[in-house]
Amino acid sequence: MADNTDKHTEIEYWSRCLAQVGCTRDRVLYLRFYDHFFPRLQSWLLGVTRDSTLAEELAQETMLIVWRKAAQYDASKAAASTWLFRIARNLYIDQLRRRQVQSRGRGLLTEEHTWFAEHTADAPRVRLAIRQLPQQQAQVIYKSYFEGKSHQEIANDMDIPLGSVKSSLRLAFQKLCTALRP
């Protein structure tokens, strides 16, 4: 019974710790939380991803989100560890979805992307064609192709729905291909 009590006390401790980090932004307390959970999180992610680089990146991103969103943590809804691992799980799922979308997108638009990539050497013509696009389409093209941002990152940056980013990119790409064809 003592083991169960110790485990419950530890769960409560880390939950209080995270709640306090959310209230006070205490960096020392956060580092204690980080030092305790980062190795566990990275190990779990390594088991899930089977990729040490990806596991480390996801663990780092998770801990950064925990720092930024600690004030949103509610100990009455979940233990700190549950909240933390759920964030990591969601990041991993997002990563898988991004890869699927990217590979599907490559298959659907390979010919157009290849053609567009071949014509980017003609930079003045490409810049002129981009300037002639509606503002939102020009912005999503710039953010996607020149800044290398994901669709979700673009949606967040521009404060527009993800579907709007995708349709704007598709329309912009069609217009650019038409404008740049000889």
Side-chain angles (χ1 to χ4, degrees):
M1 188 76 172
D3 290 337
N4 196 19
T5 303
D6 291 344
K7 184 80 172 156
H8 185 68
T9 303
E10 182 180 1
I11 291 169
E12 286 178 353
Y13 171 78
W14 291 115
S15 294
R16 281 193 315 273
C17 178
L18 181 56
Q20 186 158 353
V21 167
C23 291
T24 65
R25 306 296 289 163
D26 184 327
R27 291 174 190 249
V28 173
L29 196 54
Y30 171 75
L31 289 174
R32 190 178 310 146
F33 184 88
Y34 182 99
D35 289 343
H36 177 78
F37 280 106
F38 186 82
R40 291 162 176 78
L41 184 61
Q42 188 175 10
S43 177
W44 178 78
L45 284 164
L46 182 58
V48 171
T49 66
R50 306 276 188 243
D51 179 337
S52 61
T53 303
L54 180 58
E56 184 173 357
E57 287 173 7
L58 289 172
Q60 288 285 355
E61 191 172 347
T62 299
M63 297 308 289
L64 182 60
I65 289 170
V66 166
W67 171 250
R68 280 190 271 160
K69 296 188 176 188
Q72 296 175 12
Y73 170 68
D74 183 349
S76 70
K77 292 183 178 178
S81 58
T82 302
W83 192 69
L84 171 79
F85 280 86
R86 186 172 294 137
I87 291 169
R89 179 185 141 271
N90 291 344
L91 285 173
Y92 175 62
I93 290 169
D94 289 348
Q95 176 73 18
L96 287 177
R97 287 180 182 154
R98 260 194 310 275
R99 286 181 180 179
Q100 289 172 348
V101 167
Q102 287 170 349
S103 67
R104 242 184 317 188
R106 281 187 210 108
L108 294 173
L109 298 173
T110 301
E111 183 179 320
E112 289 89 348
H113 277 94
T114 301
W115 186 89
F116 183 65
E118 290 169 357
H119 288 80
T120 56
D122 190 6
R125 232 176 115 214
V126 172
R127 278 196 299 269
L128 177 63
I130 291 172
R131 278 195 297 264
Q132 293 173 349
L133 293 172
Q135 183 179 5
Q136 182 170 313
Q137 291 176 13
Q139 285 179 324
V140 296
I141 285 288
Y142 181 80
K143 288 179 178 294
S144 178
Y145 290 95
F146 299 103
E147 292 181 3
K149 292 190 173 188
S150 71
H151 294 174
Q152 186 62 58
E153 290 170 327
I154 296 168
N156 294 344
D157 283 357
M158 295 177 67
D159 196 28
I160 60 175
L162 182 60
S164 296
V165 171
K166 292 178 180 184
S167 60
S168 292
L169 274 171
R170 184 178 41 78
L171 291 170
F173 188 71
Q174 289 171 346
K175 289 176 184 177
L176 286 173
C177 285
T178 301
L180 295 172
R181 280 200 173 93

